[in-house]
Amino acid sequence: KNALDWVSRTPDKPWQDKPVAIMSAAAGRAGGARAQYALRLALNPFQPGLITGPEVMVAGAHKEFAEDGTLTSDLYRETLGKLMAKLAANVG
């Protein structure tokens, strides 16, 4: 939130209309849902081009990543791939 506050003080509006995707991973069963909601609210004044879905919220993250940091769940990998494809389609 502090970083967003600092950006809000710049005159050139660097977030406006820029494509933004939000994803989270957390130990809990909601996978960071509340953090994503709070971030969406904090981003609203900047008017980014927020990609609204599919939502990626990795629950029980300690069980979903390999030792090297690779996401292991086929379901999460597929959903993340779809989100990244939508983000890429909105870039440039």
Side-chain angles (χ1 to χ4, degrees):
K1 176 81 173 69
N2 282 345
L4 293 175
D5 287 339
W6 295 335
V7 170
S8 74
R9 290 162 174 59
T10 62
D12 57 349
K13 300 181 181 182
W15 289 98
Q16 190 164 350
D17 300 321
K18 299 289 191 316
V20 173
I22 297 173
M23 62 187 88
S24 58
R29 60 188 158 131
R34 283 187 277 187
Q36 282 197 24
Y37 178 68
L39 181 56
R40 287 175 198 277
L41 288 175
L43 283 170
N44 275 339
F46 302 106
Q47 301 175 7
L50 190 60
I51 309 300
T52 58
E55 293 179 322
V56 178
M57 299 174 200
V58 179
H62 59 285
K63 297 182 284 184
E64 300 297 344
F65 292 91
E67 286 291 320
D68 65 357
T70 304
L71 187 59
T72 58
S73 165
D74 289 338
L75 176 61
Y76 286 132
R77 289 170 60 118
E78 179 182 334
T79 306
L80 179 58
K82 289 177 183 177
L83 178 63
M84 292 298 96
K86 284 183 81 173
L87 179 63
N90 284 277
V91 173

Coordinates of all heavy atoms in Angstrom, one line a residue:
K1 N 0.8 -1.2 0.0 CA 0.0 0.0 0.0 C 0.9 1.3 0.0 O 0.5 2.2 -0.7 CB -0.9 0.0 1.2 CG -1.8 1.2 1.4 CD -3.0 1.1 0.5 CE -4.0 2.2 0.8 NZ -3.6 3.5 0.5
N2 N 2.0 1.2 0.7 CA 2.8 2.4 0.8 C 3.4 2.7 -0.6 O 3.5 3.9 -1.0 CB 4.0 2.2 1.8 CG 3.5 2.5 3.2 OD1 2.4 3.0 3.4 ND2 4.3 2.0 4.1
A3 N 3.8 1.7 -1.3 CA 4.4 1.9 -2.7 C 3.3 2.5 -3.6 O 3.6 3.4 -4.4 CB 4.8 0.5 -3.3
L4 N 2.1 2.1 -3.5 CA 1.0 2.7 -4.3 C 0.8 4.2 -3.9 O 0.5 5.0 -4.7 CB -0.3 1.9 -4.1 CG -0.3 0.5 -4.7 CD1 -1.6 -0.2 -4.4 CD2 -0.1 0.5 -6.2
D5 N 0.9 4.4 -2.6 CA 0.8 5.8 -2.1 C 1.9 6.7 -2.7 O 1.6 7.8 -3.1 CB 0.8 5.9 -0.6 CG -0.5 5.4 0.1 OD1 -1.5 5.4 -0.6 OD2 -0.4 5.0 1.2
W6 N 3.1 6.2 -2.8 CA 4.2 6.9 -3.4 C 3.9 7.2 -4.8 O 4.2 8.3 -5.3 CB 5.5 6.2 -3.2 CG 6.0 6.1 -1.8 CD1 5.6 6.9 -0.7 CD2 6.8 5.0 -1.2 NE1 6.2 6.4 0.4 CE2 6.9 5.3 0.1 CE3 7.4 4.0 -1.8 CZ2 7.7 4.5 1.0 CZ3 8.2 3.1 -1.0 CH2 8.3 3.4 0.4
V7 N 3.5 6.2 -5.6 CA 3.2 6.3 -7.0 C 2.1 7.4 -7.2 O 2.1 8.1 -8.2 CB 2.8 5.0 -7.6 CG1 2.3 5.2 -9.0 CG2 4.0 4.0 -7.6
S8 N 1.1 7.4 -6.3 CA 0.0 8.4 -6.4 C 0.5 9.8 -6.4 O -0.2 10.7 -6.9 CB -1.0 8.2 -5.3 OG -0.5 8.7 -4.1
R9 N 1.7 10.1 -5.9 CA 2.2 11.5 -5.9 C 3.0 11.9 -7.2 O 3.4 13.0 -7.3 CB 3.1 11.6 -4.7 CG 2.4 11.6 -3.3 CD 3.3 11.3 -2.2 NE 2.7 11.3 -0.9 CZ 1.7 10.6 -0.4 NH1 1.1 9.8 -1.2 NH2 1.3 10.7 0.9
T10 N 3.1 11.0 -8.1 CA 3.8 11.3 -9.4 C 2.8 12.0 -10.3 O 1.6 11.5 -10.4 CB 4.4 10.1 -10.0 OG1 3.4 9.2 -10.3 CG2 5.4 9.4 -9.1
P11 N 3.2 12.9 -11.1 CA 2.3 13.6 -12.0 C 1.9 12.8 -13.3 O 0.9 13.2 -13.9 CB 3.0 14.9 -12.4 CG 4.5 14.5 -12.2 CD 4.5 13.5 -11.1
D12 N 2.7 11.8 -13.6 CA 2.5 11.2 -14.9 C 1.5 10.0 -15.0 O 1.3 9.4 -16.0 CB 3.8 10.8 -15.5 CG 4.6 9.9 -14.6 OD1 4.2 9.7 -13.4 OD2 5.6 9.3 -15.1
K13 N 0.9 9.6 -13.9 CA -0.1 8.6 -13.8 C 0.4 7.3 -14.4 O -0.2 6.8 -15.4 CB -1.4 9.0 -14.4 CG -2.0 10.2 -13.7 CD -3.3 10.6 -14.3 CE -3.8 11.9 -13.6 NZ -5.1 12.3 -14.1
P14 N 1.4 6.7 -13.9 CA 2.0 5.5 -14.5 C 1.1 4.2 -14.6 O 1.4 3.4 -15.4 CB 3.3 5.2 -13.7 CG 3.0 5.8 -12.4 CD 2.1 7.0 -12.6
W15 N 0.1 4.1 -13.8 CA -0.7 3.0 -13.8 C -1.9 3.1 -14.7 O -2.5 2.1 -15.1 CB -1.3 2.7 -12.4 CG -0.3 2.2 -11.4 CD1 0.4 2.9 -10.5 CD2 0.2 0.8 -11.2 NE1 1.2 2.1 -9.8 CE2 1.1 0.8 -10.2 CE3 -0.1 -0.4 -11.9 CZ2 1.7 -0.3 -9.8 CZ3 0.5 -1.5 -11.5 CH2 1.4 -1.5 -10.4
Q16 N -2.3 4.3 -15.1 CA -3.5 4.6 -15.8 C -3.5 3.8 -17.2 O -2.6 3.9 -18.0 CB -3.7 6.1 -16.1 CG -5.1 6.3 -16.7 CD -5.5 7.8 -16.6 OE1 -4.8 8.6 -15.9 NE2 -6.6 8.1 -17.2
D17 N -4.6 3.0 -17.3 CA -4.8 2.2 -18.5 C -3.7 1.1 -18.8 O -3.7 0.5 -19.9 CB -4.9 3.1 -19.8 CG -6.1 4.1 -19.6 OD1 -7.1 3.7 -19.1 OD2 -5.9 5.2 -20.0
K18 N -2.8 0.9 -17.9 CA -1.8 -0.2 -18.0 C -2.4 -1.5 -17.6 O -3.1 -1.6 -16.6 CB -0.6 0.1 -17.1 CG 0.2 1.4 -17.4 CD 0.9 1.3 -18.7 CE 1.9 2.4 -19.0 NZ 1.5 3.7 -18.7
P19 N -2.2 -2.6 -18.3 CA -2.8 -3.9 -18.0 C -2.1 -4.4 -16.7 O -0.9 -4.3 -16.5 CB -2.4 -4.8 -19.1 CG -1.5 -4.0 -20.0 CD -1.5 -2.6 -19.6
V20 N -3.0 -4.8 -15.8 CA -2.5 -5.3 -14.5 C -3.3 -6.6 -14.2 O -4.5 -6.7 -14.3 CB -2.8 -4.3 -13.4 CG1 -2.5 -4.9 -12.0 CG2 -2.0 -3.0 -13.6
A21 N -2.5 -7.7 -13.8 CA -3.1 -8.9 -13.3 C -2.7 -9.1 -11.9 O -1.6 -8.8 -11.5 CB -2.7 -10.1 -14.2
I22 N -3.7 -9.6 -11.1 CA -3.4 -9.9 -9.7 C -3.5 -11.4 -9.4 O -4.4 -12.0 -9.9 CB -4.5 -9.1 -8.8 CG1 -4.4 -7.6 -9.0 CG2 -4.3 -9.5 -7.3 CD1 -5.5 -6.8 -8.3
M23 N -2.5 -11.9 -8.7 CA -2.6 -13.3 -8.3 C -2.0 -13.4 -6.9 O -1.3 -12.4 -6.4 CB -1.8 -14.2 -9.3 CG -0.3 -13.8 -9.4 SD 0.5 -14.8 -10.6 CE 0.2 -13.7 -12.0
S24 N -2.3 -14.4 -6.2 CA -1.8 -14.6 -4.8 C -1.6 -16.0 -4.5 O -2.2 -16.9 -5.1 CB -2.8 -13.9 -3.8 OG -4.1 -14.5 -3.9
A25 N -0.8 -16.2 -3.5 CA -0.6 -17.5 -2.9 C -0.4 -17.3 -1.4 O 0.3 -16.4 -0.9 CB 0.7 -18.2 -3.5
A26 N -1.1 -18.2 -0.6 CA -1.1 -18.0 0.8 C -1.3 -19.4 1.5 O -1.8 -20.3 0.9 CB -2.2 -17.1 1.3
A27 N -0.9 -19.5 2.7 CA -1.0 -20.7 3.4 C -2.4 -21.1 3.7 O -2.8 -22.3 3.8 CB -0.2 -20.7 4.7
G28 N -3.3 -20.2 3.9 CA -4.7 -20.4 4.2 C -5.5 -21.0 3.1 O -5.0 -21.1 1.9
R29 N -6.7 -21.4 3.4 CA -7.6 -22.0 2.4 C -8.2 -21.0 1.4 O -8.7 -21.4 0.4 CB -8.6 -22.8 3.0 CG -9.6 -22.1 3.9 CD -10.5 -23.1 4.7 NE -11.0 -22.4 5.9 CZ -12.2 -22.4 6.2 NH1 -13.1 -23.0 5.5 NH2 -12.6 -21.8 7.3
A30 N -8.1 -19.7 1.7 CA -8.7 -18.7 0.7 C -7.6 -18.3 -0.3 O -8.0 -17.6 -1.2 CB -9.2 -17.5 1.5
G31 N -6.4 -18.6 -0.1 CA -5.3 -18.3 -1.1 C -5.0 -16.8 -1.3 O -4.6 -16.4 -2.3
G32 N -5.3 -16.0 -0.3 CA -5.0 -14.6 -0.4 C -6.2 -13.8 -0.9 O -6.0 -12.7 -1.4
A33 N -7.4 -14.3 -0.9 CA -8.6 -13.6 -1.4 C -8.8 -12.2 -0.8 O -9.0 -11.3 -1.6 CB -9.8 -14.5 -1.2
R34 N -8.6 -12.1 0.5 CA -8.8 -10.8 1.1 C -7.7 -9.8 0.7 O -8.0 -8.6 0.5 CB -8.9 -10.9 2.6 CG -10.3 -11.4 3.1 CD -10.4 -11.4 4.5 NE -9.7 -12.6 5.1 CZ -9.7 -13.0 6.3 NH1 -10.3 -12.2 7.2 NH2 -9.1 -14.1 6.7
A35 N -6.5 -10.3 0.5 CA -5.4 -9.4 0.1 C -5.7 -8.9 -1.4 O -5.5 -7.8 -1.7 CB -4.1 -10.2 0.1
Q36 N -6.2 -9.8 -2.2 CA -6.5 -9.4 -3.6 C -7.6 -8.4 -3.6 O -7.6 -7.4 -4.3 CB -7.0 -10.6 -4.4 CG -5.8 -11.5 -4.9 CD -6.2 -12.4 -6.0 OE1 -7.2 -12.1 -6.8 NE2 -5.5 -13.4 -6.2
Y37 N -8.6 -8.5 -2.8 CA -9.7 -7.6 -2.7 C -9.2 -6.2 -2.2 O -9.5 -5.2 -2.8 CB -10.8 -8.1 -1.7 CG -12.0 -7.1 -1.5 CD1 -12.8 -6.9 -2.6 CD2 -12.2 -6.5 -0.3 CE1 -13.9 -6.0 -2.4 CE2 -13.2 -5.6 -0.2 CZ -14.1 -5.4 -1.2 OH -15.1 -4.5 -1.1
A38 N -8.4 -6.2 -1.2 CA -7.8 -4.9 -0.7 C -6.9 -4.3 -1.8 O -7.0 -3.1 -2.0 CB -7.0 -5.2 0.5
L39 N -6.2 -5.1 -2.5 CA -5.3 -4.5 -3.6 C -6.2 -3.9 -4.7 O -5.9 -2.8 -5.2 CB -4.4 -5.6 -4.1 CG -3.4 -5.1 -5.2 CD1 -2.6 -3.9 -4.8 CD2 -2.5 -6.3 -5.7
R40 N -7.3 -4.6 -5.1 CA -8.1 -4.1 -6.1 C -8.7 -2.7 -5.7 O -8.8 -1.8 -6.5 CB -9.3 -5.0 -6.4 CG -8.9 -6.3 -7.1 CD -10.1 -7.2 -7.3 NE -9.7 -8.5 -7.6 CZ -9.4 -8.9 -8.8 NH1 -9.5 -8.1 -9.8 NH2 -9.0 -10.2 -9.1
L41 N -9.1 -2.6 -4.4 CA -9.6 -1.3 -3.9 C -8.6 -0.2 -4.0 O -8.8 0.9 -4.3 CB -10.2 -1.5 -2.5 CG -11.5 -2.3 -2.4 CD1 -11.8 -2.5 -0.9 CD2 -12.6 -1.6 -3.1
A42 N -7.3 -0.6 -3.6 CA -6.2 0.4 -3.5 C -5.8 0.8 -4.9 O -5.4 1.9 -5.1 CB -5.0 -0.2 -2.8
L43 N -6.0 -0.1 -5.9 CA -5.6 0.3 -7.3 C -6.7 1.1 -8.0 O -6.4 1.8 -9.0 CB -5.4 -1.0 -8.1 CG -4.1 -1.7 -7.9 CD1 -4.1 -3.1 -8.6 CD2 -2.9 -0.9 -8.4
N44 N -7.9 1.1 -7.6 CA -9.0 1.8 -8.3 C -8.7 3.3 -8.6 O -8.9 3.7 -9.7 CB -10.3 1.7 -7.5 CG -11.1 0.4 -7.8 OD1 -10.9 -0.2 -8.8 ND2 -11.9 0.1 -6.9
P45 N -8.2 4.1 -7.7 CA -7.9 5.5 -8.0 C -6.9 5.6 -9.2 O -6.9 6.7 -9.8 CB -7.3 6.0 -6.7 CG -7.8 5.1 -5.6 CD -7.9 3.8 -6.3
F46 N -6.1 4.6 -9.4 CA -5.1 4.7 -10.5 C -5.6 4.4 -11.9 O -4.9 4.6 -12.9 CB -3.9 3.8 -10.2 CG -3.2 4.2 -8.8 CD1 -3.4 3.4 -7.7 CD2 -2.4 5.3 -8.7 CE1 -2.8 3.7 -6.5 CE2 -1.8 5.6 -7.5 CZ -2.0 4.8 -6.4
Q47 N -6.8 3.8 -11.9 CA -7.5 3.5 -13.2 C -6.6 2.6 -14.1 O -6.5 2.9 -15.3 CB -7.9 4.7 -13.9 CG -8.9 5.6 -13.1 CD -9.2 6.9 -13.8 OE1 -8.8 7.1 -14.9 NE2 -9.9 7.7 -13.0
P48 N -6.1 1.5 -13.5 CA -5.4 0.6 -14.4 C -6.3 -0.2 -15.3 O -7.5 -0.3 -15.0 CB -4.6 -0.3 -13.4 CG -5.6 -0.4 -12.3 CD -6.2 1.0 -12.2
G49 N -5.8 -0.9 -16.3 CA -6.6 -1.8 -17.1 C -6.6 -3.2 -16.4 O -5.8 -4.1 -16.8
L50 N -7.3 -3.3 -15.3 CA -7.3 -4.5 -14.5 C -7.9 -5.7 -15.2 O -9.0 -5.6 -15.7 CB -8.0 -4.2 -13.2 CG -7.9 -5.3 -12.1 CD1 -6.5 -5.5 -11.6 CD2 -8.7 -4.9 -10.9
I51 N -7.1 -6.8 -15.3 CA -7.6 -8.0 -15.8 C -8.4 -8.7 -14.7 O -7.9 -9.0 -13.7 CB -6.5 -8.9 -16.3 CG1 -5.5 -8.2 -17.2 CG2 -7.0 -10.2 -16.9 CD1 -6.1 -7.7 -18.4
T52 N -9.7 -8.9 -14.9 CA -10.6 -9.3 -13.8 C -10.7 -10.9 -13.6 O -11.3 -11.3 -12.7 CB -12.0 -8.8 -14.0 OG1 -12.5 -9.2 -15.3 CG2 -12.0 -7.3 -14.0
G53 N -10.1 -11.6 -14.5 CA -10.2 -13.0 -14.3 C -9.6 -13.8 -15.5 O -9.3 -13.2 -16.5
P54 N -9.3 -15.0 -15.3 CA -9.7 -15.8 -14.1 C -8.8 -15.5 -12.9 O -7.7 -15.0 -13.0 CB -9.4 -17.3 -14.6 CG -8.3 -17.1 -15.6 CD -8.5 -15.8 -16.3
E55 N -9.4 -15.6 -11.8 CA -8.7 -15.3 -10.5 C -7.8 -16.4 -10.2 O -8.2 -17.6 -10.3 CB -9.7 -15.1 -9.4 CG -10.6 -13.9 -9.6 CD -11.6 -13.7 -8.5 OE1 -12.2 -14.7 -8.0 OE2 -11.8 -12.5 -8.1
V56 N -6.6 -16.1 -9.7 CA -5.6 -17.1 -9.3 C -5.3 -16.8 -7.8 O -4.7 -15.8 -7.5 CB -4.3 -17.0 -10.1 CG1 -3.3 -18.0 -9.6 CG2 -4.6 -17.2 -11.6
M57 N -5.8 -17.7 -7.0 CA -5.6 -17.7 -5.6 C -5.1 -19.0 -5.1 O -6.0 -19.9 -4.9 CB -6.9 -17.3 -4.8 CG -7.4 -15.9 -5.2 SD -9.0 -15.6 -4.5 CE -9.7 -14.4 -5.5
V58 N -3.8 -19.2 -5.0 CA -3.3 -20.5 -4.6 C -3.4 -20.7 -3.1 O -2.7 -20.1 -2.3 CB -1.8 -20.6 -5.0 CG1 -1.2 -22.0 -4.7 CG2 -1.7 -20.4 -6.5
A59 N -4.3 -21.6 -2.7 CA -4.5 -22.0 -1.3 C -3.5 -23.1 -0.9 O -3.1 -23.9 -1.7 CB -6.0 -22.4 -1.1
G60 N -3.2 -23.0 0.4 CA -2.3 -24.1 0.9 C -1.0 -24.0 0.1 O -0.5 -25.1 -0.3
A61 N -0.5 -22.9 -0.1 CA 0.7 -22.7 -1.0 C 1.9 -23.5 -0.6 O 2.7 -23.9 -1.5 CB 1.1 -21.2 -1.0
H62 N 2.1 -23.8 0.7 CA 3.2 -24.6 1.1 C 3.2 -26.0 0.5 O 4.2 -26.7 0.4 CB 3.3 -24.7 2.6 CG 2.0 -25.3 3.3 ND1 0.8 -24.6 3.4 CD2 1.8 -26.5 3.8 CE1 -0.1 -25.3 3.9 NE2 0.5 -26.5 4.2
K63 N 2.0 -26.5 0.0 CA 1.9 -27.8 -0.6 C 1.8 -27.7 -2.2 O 1.8 -28.7 -2.8 CB 0.6 -28.5 -0.1 CG 0.6 -28.8 1.4 CD -0.6 -29.5 1.8 CE -1.7 -28.5 1.9 NZ -3.0 -29.1 2.4
E64 N 1.8 -26.5 -2.7 CA 1.5 -26.3 -4.1 C 2.8 -26.0 -5.0 O 2.7 -25.8 -6.2 CB 0.4 -25.3 -4.4 CG -0.9 -25.6 -3.7 CD -1.6 -26.9 -4.3 OE1 -1.2 -27.3 -5.4 OE2 -2.5 -27.4 -3.6
F65 N 3.9 -25.8 -4.3 CA 5.1 -25.5 -5.0 C 6.2 -26.5 -4.7 O 6.4 -27.0 -3.6 CB 5.6 -24.1 -4.6 CG 4.7 -23.0 -5.0 CD1 3.7 -22.5 -4.2 CD2 4.9 -22.4 -6.2 CE1 2.9 -21.5 -4.6 CE2 4.1 -21.4 -6.7 CZ 3.1 -20.9 -5.8
A66 N 7.0 -26.8 -5.8 CA 8.1 -27.7 -5.6 C 9.3 -27.0 -4.9 O 9.2 -25.8 -4.8 CB 8.6 -28.2 -7.0
E67 N 10.3 -27.7 -4.6 CA 11.5 -27.1 -3.9 C 12.1 -26.0 -4.7 O 12.6 -25.0 -4.2 CB 12.5 -28.2 -3.6 CG 12.2 -29.1 -2.5 CD 12.2 -28.4 -1.1 OE1 13.1 -27.6 -0.9 OE2 11.3 -28.7 -0.3
D68 N 12.0 -26.1 -6.1 CA 12.6 -25.1 -6.9 C 11.7 -23.9 -7.2 O 12.0 -23.0 -8.0 CB 13.1 -25.7 -8.2 CG 12.0 -26.2 -9.1 OD1 10.8 -26.2 -8.7 OD2 12.2 -26.7 -10.2
G69 N 10.5 -23.9 -6.6 CA 9.6 -22.8 -6.7 C 8.5 -23.0 -7.8 O 7.7 -22.2 -8.1
T70 N 8.6 -24.1 -8.5 CA 7.7 -24.4 -9.6 C 6.3 -24.8 -9.0 O 6.2 -25.6 -8.1 CB 8.2 -25.7 -10.4 OG1 9.5 -25.4 -10.9 CG2 7.3 -26.0 -11.6
L71 N 5.3 -24.2 -9.6 CA 3.9 -24.5 -9.2 C 3.6 -25.9 -9.7 O 3.7 -26.2 -10.9 CB 3.0 -23.4 -9.9 CG 1.5 -23.4 -9.5 CD1 1.3 -23.3 -8.0 CD2 0.8 -22.3 -10.2
T72 N 3.1 -26.8 -8.9 CA 2.9 -28.2 -9.2 C 1.5 -28.5 -9.6 O 1.3 -29.5 -10.4 CB 3.4 -29.1 -8.1 OG1 2.7 -28.8 -6.9 CG2 4.9 -28.9 -7.8
S73 N 0.5 -27.8 -9.2 CA -0.9 -28.2 -9.4 C -1.3 -27.9 -10.9 O -1.1 -26.8 -11.3 CB -1.8 -27.4 -8.5 OG -3.1 -27.4 -8.9
D74 N -1.8 -28.9 -11.5 CA -2.2 -28.7 -12.9 C -3.3 -27.7 -13.0 O -3.4 -26.9 -13.9 CB -2.7 -30.0 -13.5 CG -1.5 -31.0 -13.8 OD1 -0.4 -30.5 -13.9 OD2 -1.8 -32.2 -13.9
L75 N -4.2 -27.7 -12.0 CA -5.4 -26.8 -12.0 C -4.9 -25.3 -11.9 O -5.3 -24.4 -12.7 CB -6.3 -27.1 -10.9 CG -7.5 -26.1 -10.8 CD1 -8.4 -26.1 -12.0 CD2 -8.3 -26.5 -9.5
Y76 N -4.0 -25.1 -11.0 CA -3.5 -23.7 -10.8 C -2.6 -23.3 -12.0 O -2.7 -22.1 -12.4 CB -2.6 -23.6 -9.5 CG -3.5 -23.6 -8.2 CD1 -3.1 -24.4 -7.2 CD2 -4.6 -22.8 -8.1 CE1 -3.9 -24.4 -6.0 CE2 -5.3 -22.8 -6.9 CZ -4.9 -23.6 -5.9 OH -5.7 -23.6 -4.7
R77 N -1.8 -24.2 -12.5 CA -1.0 -23.9 -13.7 C -1.9 -23.5 -14.9 O -1.6 -22.6 -15.6 CB -0.1 -25.0 -14.0 CG 1.0 -25.2 -13.0 CD 1.8 -26.5 -13.2 NE 2.4 -26.5 -14.5 CZ 3.7 -26.6 -14.8 NH1 4.5 -26.7 -13.7 NH2 4.2 -26.7 -16.0
E78 N -3.0 -24.2 -15.1 CA -3.9 -24.0 -16.2 C -4.5 -22.6 -16.0 O -4.6 -21.8 -17.0 CB -4.9 -25.1 -16.3 CG -5.9 -24.8 -17.4 CD -7.0 -25.9 -17.4 OE1 -6.8 -27.1 -17.0 OE2 -8.1 -25.6 -17.9
T79 N -5.0 -22.3 -14.8 CA -5.7 -21.1 -14.5 C -4.7 -19.9 -14.7 O -5.0 -18.9 -15.2 CB -6.3 -21.1 -13.1 OG1 -7.1 -22.2 -13.0 CG2 -7.1 -19.8 -12.9
L80 N -3.5 -20.1 -14.2 CA -2.4 -19.1 -14.3 C -2.1 -18.8 -15.8 O -2.0 -17.7 -16.2 CB -1.2 -19.5 -13.5 CG 0.0 -18.5 -13.6 CD1 -0.4 -17.1 -13.1 CD2 1.2 -19.1 -12.8
G81 N -2.0 -19.9 -16.6 CA -1.8 -19.7 -18.0 C -2.9 -18.9 -18.7 O -2.6 -18.1 -19.5
K82 N -4.1 -19.1 -18.3 CA -5.2 -18.4 -18.9 C -5.2 -16.9 -18.5 O -5.4 -16.0 -19.3 CB -6.6 -19.0 -18.5 CG -6.9 -20.3 -19.1 CD -8.2 -20.9 -18.6 CE -8.4 -22.2 -19.2 NZ -9.7 -22.8 -18.6
L83 N -4.8 -16.6 -17.2 CA -4.7 -15.3 -16.8 C -3.5 -14.6 -17.5 O -3.7 -13.4 -18.0 CB -4.5 -15.2 -15.3 CG -4.3 -13.8 -14.7 CD1 -5.5 -12.9 -14.9 CD2 -3.9 -13.9 -13.2
M84 N -2.4 -15.2 -17.7 CA -1.3 -14.6 -18.4 C -1.6 -14.4 -19.8 O -1.1 -13.4 -20.4 CB 0.0 -15.5 -18.2 CG 0.5 -15.5 -16.7 SD 1.0 -13.9 -16.1 CE -0.4 -13.3 -15.2
A85 N -2.3 -15.3 -20.4 CA -2.7 -15.1 -21.9 C -3.6 -13.8 -22.0 O -3.4 -13.1 -22.9 CB -3.5 -16.3 -22.4
K86 N -4.5 -13.6 -21.1 CA -5.3 -12.4 -21.1 C -4.5 -11.2 -20.9 O -4.7 -10.1 -21.5 CB -6.5 -12.5 -20.1 CG -7.6 -13.4 -20.5 CD -8.7 -13.4 -19.5 CE -9.6 -12.2 -19.7 NZ -10.8 -12.3 -18.8
L87 N -3.5 -11.3 -19.9 CA -2.7 -10.1 -19.7 C -1.8 -9.8 -20.9 O -1.8 -8.7 -21.4 CB -1.7 -10.4 -18.5 CG -0.7 -9.3 -18.1 CD1 -1.5 -8.1 -17.7 CD2 0.2 -9.8 -17.0
A88 N -1.3 -10.8 -21.6 CA -0.4 -10.7 -22.8 C -1.3 -10.0 -23.9 O -0.8 -9.2 -24.7 CB 0.2 -12.0 -23.2
A89 N -2.5 -10.4 -24.0 CA -3.4 -9.9 -25.1 C -3.7 -8.4 -24.9 O -4.0 -7.7 -25.8 CB -4.7 -10.7 -25.1
N90 N -3.5 -7.9 -23.6 CA -3.8 -6.5 -23.3 C -2.5 -5.7 -23.3 O -2.6 -4.5 -23.0 CB -4.5 -6.4 -22.0 CG -5.9 -6.8 -22.1 OD1 -6.8 -6.0 -22.5 ND2 -6.3 -8.0 -21.8
V91 N -1.4 -6.3 -23.6 CA -0.1 -5.5 -23.5 C 0.3 -5.1 -25.0 O 0.2 -5.9 -25.9 CB 1.1 -6.4 -23.0 CG1 2.4 -5.7 -23.1 CG2 0.8 -6.8 -21.5
G92 N 0.7 -3.8 -25.1 CA 1.2 -3.3 -26.3 C 0.2 -3.3 -27.4 O 0.1 -3.0 -28.5

